[in-house]
Amino acid sequence: IELVRGPQGTLLGKNTTIGALIVTTKRPSFTPELNLEAGYANYGRYQIRANATGPVIGDTLAYRLTYYRDASNGWARNAYDGQKYLDVNRWAVRGQLLFESGPVTSRLIAEHYETSEYNNYYPNFADAKTFANGAVRAASWDTKVRGLFGYTPSYDVGRNADLNTQDRIDSRVTGVSNELTVKLGAHTLTAVSAWRQLRFRPRNDSDGSPFSILRAGYDVDVDQYSQEVRLASPTGGALDYQVGGYFLREDLVSNNRSIFQADSTKWFLTGALPTAALSPAILNGVEYDQYGTLHVTSGAGFGQATWHLADRLSLTGGVRFTRETKRASNTGLTFGGATLPGALAPARA
């Protein structure tokens, strides 16, 4: 682990202004080795980590394979269906191949990380019923669930889960990278290629109650590609230097989804429509999305040189040129739900 202080944009691909934390994981070894770790705790918590490494082809190609598992039963029991929330359910696998032949070294890494947990539960802990001046806050959540549904909420944190549409939150991260190093005489050429992908799906019961009012959350998809090339001079002389180039492409899509359900009309439109029009069909099944995109394209050239004037005196200078473009959009749309009679059609809008 290296902590590098200060701007690093003249040495590294991705520009940094205050420093960089560089984590270099263990490389494959040509000496066979197997490591196993396991742990167990209360609430059924267990962790397993297995790591194997060794040669594939003589002293030219070696591998390293790592598997990780972490799970627990959760501890906050949901009164509606007995499901335990705040559990742990995740696993990961990572494989590496190391190729060494003459002046060429290549390290390929592929990894996948996945979770599926009830860790998106937030207990009700307070709800103000009056304003600072003492006036009654008629539209408070507490007041509405009591008045509309005859439901008495609990604020006993850790014991007050009572949700009917809560589901697991899923996330998946997949990545591939390769670091190629070639010795060109006394100089070293390094090329780092990488791709990474994130998929995130929350499934939140957003009304905090056992009634079917609202599910909401951000679906997020991110794809990132990068390419870095560096040429470094030998060290130990009066002058050493490094020059390089960097390219990054990032595509992000987020969708803030609000899904209305059978009790949504009663919750949101009570008092806004004639009593005869308060049918669950008005909002039931309606979905409102805020669909946002972001596309980033970034390119940079950088370089740094150090002139060693004496054993205890050196002068370092660097330069970086970056050009980056960003395109973003945000679109709102509504769809779903039953077809309403003409007199009620404006109600949904």
Side-chain angles (χ1 to χ4, degrees):
I1 298 177
E2 299 174 87
L3 178 60
V4 189
R5 294 177 293 180
Q8 302 299 315
T10 60
L11 277 175
L12 299 175
K14 182 65 175 174
N15 191 24
T16 60
T17 57
I18 61 173
L21 181 64
I22 303 173
V23 179
T24 303
T25 57
K26 200 169 184 179
R27 292 163 32 126
S29 172
F30 289 94
T31 301
E33 185 178 328
L34 175 64
N35 293 301
L36 296 173
E37 298 178 24
Y40 184 80
N42 56 344
Y43 296 106
R45 181 73 178 269
Y46 68 90
Q47 294 179 322
I48 299 173
R49 186 189 303 272
N51 196 327
T53 187
V56 178
I57 303 176
D59 57 358
T60 301
L61 185 66
Y63 80 96
R64 179 177 292 275
L65 183 64
T66 302
Y67 174 78
Y68 172 75
R69 178 80 170 107
D70 189 2
S72 76
N73 294 330
W75 57 271
R77 184 180 296 277
N78 184 32
Y80 186 84
D81 58 8
Q83 177 65 50
K84 291 183 179 180
Y85 292 161
L86 302 178
D87 63 331
V88 177
N89 182 31
R90 57 191 65 175
W91 65 274
V93 62
R94 190 171 193 259
Q96 299 183 61
L97 286 175
L98 177 65
F99 173 81
E100 293 182 343
S101 179
V104 178
T105 300
S106 180
R107 183 188 184 191
L108 176 67
I109 303 175
E111 56 191 345
H112 180 79
Y113 174 78
E114 193 167 316
T115 71
S116 181
E117 306 170 342
Y118 283 102
N119 61 6
N120 51 341
Y121 161 62
Y122 303 97
N124 303 317
F125 61 91
D127 190 35
K129 299 180 182 179
T130 61
F131 293 101
N133 62 2
V136 176
R137 182 171 169 253
S140 71
W141 175 83
D142 185 283
T143 301
K144 291 188 72 172
V145 293
R146 290 175 187 269
L148 293 176
F149 300 104
Y151 177 73
T152 302
S154 168
Y155 297 100
D156 186 6
V157 175
R159 298 180 176 88
N160 62 340
D162 194 6
L163 307 174
N164 67 323
T165 60
Q166 185 79 5
D167 207 344
R168 294 182 182 274
I169 184 172
D170 291 333
S171 64
R172 300 181 181 185
V173 178
T174 305
V176 179
S177 65
N178 187 80
E179 182 178 4
L180 174 67
T181 303
V182 182
K183 293 289 186 180
L184 302 176
H187 288 69
T188 302
L189 178 67
T190 303
V192 182
S193 310
W195 165 75
R196 202 163 188 84
Q197 181 185 77
L198 165 69
R199 298 289 182 262
F200 177 80
R201 296 292 182 270
R203 298 176 174 88
N204 304 320
D205 186 321
S206 300
D207 53 66
S209 76
F211 306 102
S212 299
I213 301 173
L214 179 67
R215 298 191 70 174
Y218 279 91
D219 292 354
V220 180
D221 298 300
V222 182
D223 285 272
Q224 180 177 292
Y225 314 83
S226 65
Q227 178 65 57
E228 180 178 349
V229 179
R230 302 190 304 264
L231 180 66
S233 70
T235 58
L239 180 70
D240 56 67
Y241 61 88
Q242 177 178 281
V243 294
Y246 181 73
F247 172 80
L248 170 70
R249 171 71 181 191
E250 185 174 35
D251 298 307
L252 183 148
V253 176
S254 68
N255 188 8
N256 184 12
R257 303 176 64 196
S258 296
I259 304 173
F260 297 88
Q261 300 168 317
D263 295 317
S264 293
T265 300
K266 188 174 183 179
W267 179 266
F268 290 106
L269 299 181
T270 296
L273 293 175
T275 303
L278 290 178
S279 165
I282 294 179
L283 289 179
N284 188 27
V286 174
E287 179 171 337
Y288 173 67
D289 292 356
Q290 281 192 322
Y291 185 83
T293 65
L294 173 65
H295 304 283
V296 180
T297 303
S298 179
F302 55 90
Q304 180 171 298
T306 300
W307 181 19
H308 302 280
L309 300 171
D311 289 343
R312 301 181 64 183
L313 179 63
S314 298
L315 179 65
T316 298
V319 63
R320 181 185 182 93
F321 176 79
T322 301
R323 183 177 181 85
E324 183 169 288
T325 61
K326 295 183 179 181
R327 293 184 296 109
S329 67
N330 187 58
T331 304
L333 65 153
T334 304
F335 57 91
T339 300
L340 302 180
L344 295 180
R348 182 173 296 158

